[in-house]
Structure formats: C-alpha cells, structure tokens
Amino acid sequence: MEVVTTNKQYLENIRSLLDQLEQTQEEAIELVSSVCAKAVLNGKLLYFFGTGHSHMICEEPFYRAGGLACVYPILESDLMLHRGASKSSAYERIEGLGNVVISHTPIGEGDVLFLISNSGRNAVIVDAAIEAKELGVTTVAVTSMNHTTNVSSRHPNGKRLFEVCDYVLDNGGVIGDASVTLEGLSQKIAPTSSVIDATLVNLVIVNTTEKLLEKGVTPPIFTSANTDEGDVTNKSILEEYRQRVPSL
C-alpha cells in the first residue's frame, strides 16, 4: 500500500482544486476576460484590492514579467500585515473604511476592480465593492464559495462580497482555507487560496491578452527586468503608465 505523505496530500489537494477550477470556472473566466479586454481597449485600468494575505494577490499581476502594464494594485498599508497583523484584522472589519480606500484612488467608470477575499464577509471589502459599483466600475469577487456561504456577513447590510459584485471567481477552497490534517494537531495546516487565486488572476490576464490580440491590439506587456533586454523593452511602457499607476 502506498503511504501518502503530508507533502503529497497537500500537492494532491492543489491538483484537485486546479482540476476543479478548470471544470467549473471556464465560463466565469471567459466573461471576466471579455470585460477586461473591453476596459483595456477603452484605455481603462484593472484594479486589485484585498486585505491581509489577500493583498499578495493584488501584487501578483502588478509589474509582472509577462503581465499587463495597465494594472493598479490598491495597497493600503494598514490593511496589510507588515504594519501589524492583528491590527489589519481589526481594520478590515471597520464599516466605511472601504469607501475611503476606494475614494482615494482614481478608479472610475469603465475600470475593472478585482476584490480578493476568501471569506468575503468583512466590512471593508464589501464597502469597497459597493463604492466602486456606484462609480460605474465592474466588480469581480475572487473568493471561496465554500467558505463564504458558510459564514455570516460582518457588514451591517448582511451582504457578503459575492452578493455585491458583478462577477465571481471561485477558488473552491475549504472553509478556513487550510487543507491538511495531521494526527495530534487539532488545527488544519496548508492553505490553498493563494495558489489558486494567483492562478485565477493569471488565467484572466492570459485570456484578456489573447482577446486583445484577436482584435488587432498589441497590449502593453512587461518583460522581466532581470533579462538583458528588460530595461529597454519596459522603458516606454513605464513612461506611459507611471503617471496613471503611481506604484510603478
């Protein structure tokens, strides 16, 4: 009998979720990619916002080798982890803060906003989605439907992220995210959301790029800055987008 090691169990969990993604999210990815391609054609930007660990998915498509230049990560330090993890958890529950975060960006009609939250329950992420929609922004939730449908909202309106967004990309993860059980330990380990969320986002970028090429438009794609040709290739792209994406 084959012994299933902990490492193999985790890898099998990831493979299973990737297979599930392929089987269940194709239509959603296609729809979201079409919206993104239209936005890029119209000179708009793709925004990304998440709190806690989810902020990493906002950085994944930003200034990325092989990634689109028209990506704007909303990186609010107090909602990330490096300024205090427990403080971040407290801040993401504050009603109205999401409105403030969105209002301090140039996001507007025709742009697309990806909102990343595994639980989708906290006030900041829900408020951000609502505020953006009022501005005419297309909103995309990146979440775990298994998790979010098994918890209550922490927003006064009782809504979770998937209930206030135009589109939903489901990472398929289990409640609580951690996926591996070890004998002698009550808590599960090995979360899956970061791997699957990053895959979802990159699939959207790939499909968006393909759709732009089909329309005869060559999109602004970064080359790795750590190749010999990277600095030269990226120079004109940076000059074009730095005024619109300050983080560049």
Side-chain angles (χ1 to χ4, degrees):
M1 178 182 297
E2 182 183 8
V3 177
V4 178
T5 65
T6 303
N7 286 351
K8 186 169 183 180
Q9 184 182 350
Y10 182 54
L11 289 170
E12 287 178 348
N13 290 345
I14 294 296
R15 290 190 189 102
S16 176
L17 287 172
L18 288 171
D19 288 342
Q20 181 178 312
L21 182 161
E22 185 176 15
Q23 295 162 11
T24 66
Q25 298 305 296
E26 182 177 0
E27 182 179 356
I29 291 169
E30 175 70 16
L31 290 170
V32 171
S33 300
S34 295
V35 170
C36 290
K38 181 179 178 181
V40 176
L41 280 171
N42 291 331
K44 303 299 181 178
L45 296 175
L46 310 181
Y47 287 77
F48 291 78
F49 176 56
T51 67
H53 283 94
S54 293
H55 94 269
M56 295 188 296
I57 308 304
C58 303
E59 295 193 55
E60 170 62 24
F62 174 61
Y63 191 51
R64 199 70 161 92
L68 290 166
C70 46
V71 167
Y72 191 122
I74 302 174
L75 303 174
E76 188 64 36
S77 291
D78 286 333
L79 292 168
M80 294 156 65
L81 301 176
H82 62 286
R83 292 282 184 88
S86 57
K87 183 174 75 171
S88 169
S89 292
Y91 275 29
E92 69 181 3
R93 302 181 187 188
I94 298 176
E95 182 187 0
L97 182 55
N99 306 64
V100 175
V101 170
I102 294 300
S103 68
H104 280 75
T105 72
I107 196 169
E109 186 173 359
D111 291 319
V112 181
L113 173 61
F114 290 79
L115 300 115
I116 302 95
S117 173
N118 213 49
S119 72
R121 72 186 306 201
N122 289 308
V124 164
I125 204 76
V126 173
D127 275 335
I130 294 171
E131 179 73 12
K133 286 188 70 171
E134 290 179 354
L135 295 172
V137 175
T138 299
T139 54
V140 182
V142 183
T143 191
S144 165
M145 291 302 294
N146 284 333
H147 189 141
T148 193
T149 55
N150 281 282
V151 295
S152 61
S153 172
R154 288 184 174 132
H155 194 282
N157 68 11
K159 301 288 186 181
R160 291 153 296 184
L161 182 63
F162 77 96
E163 296 172 292
V164 297
C165 285
D166 298 304
Y167 300 95
V168 176
L169 297 174
D170 179 16
N171 66 38
V174 298
I175 301 171
D177 201 10
S179 66
V180 173
T181 300
L182 292 180
E183 186 176 350
L185 185 66
S186 59
Q187 300 95 340
K188 289 184 178 181
I189 61 171
T192 62
S193 61
S194 297
V195 176
I196 307 303
D197 286 354
T199 302
L200 281 167
V201 166
N202 280 303
L203 282 169
V204 170
I205 298 297
V206 168
N207 281 267
T208 299
T209 302
E210 185 177 39
K211 292 180 184 304
L212 290 168
L213 290 171
E214 288 172 352
K215 295 180 181 297
V217 175
T218 302
I221 300 291
F222 282 118
T223 301
S224 171
N226 292 311
T227 60
D228 290 341
E229 69 276 13
D231 289 346
V232 173
T233 303
N234 293 336
K235 183 179 180 181
S236 61
I237 299 177
L238 287 169
E239 289 174 351
E240 179 180 355
Y241 281 94
R242 188 171 279 134
Q243 294 300 315
R244 301 182 63 196
V245 184
S247 298
L248 287 172

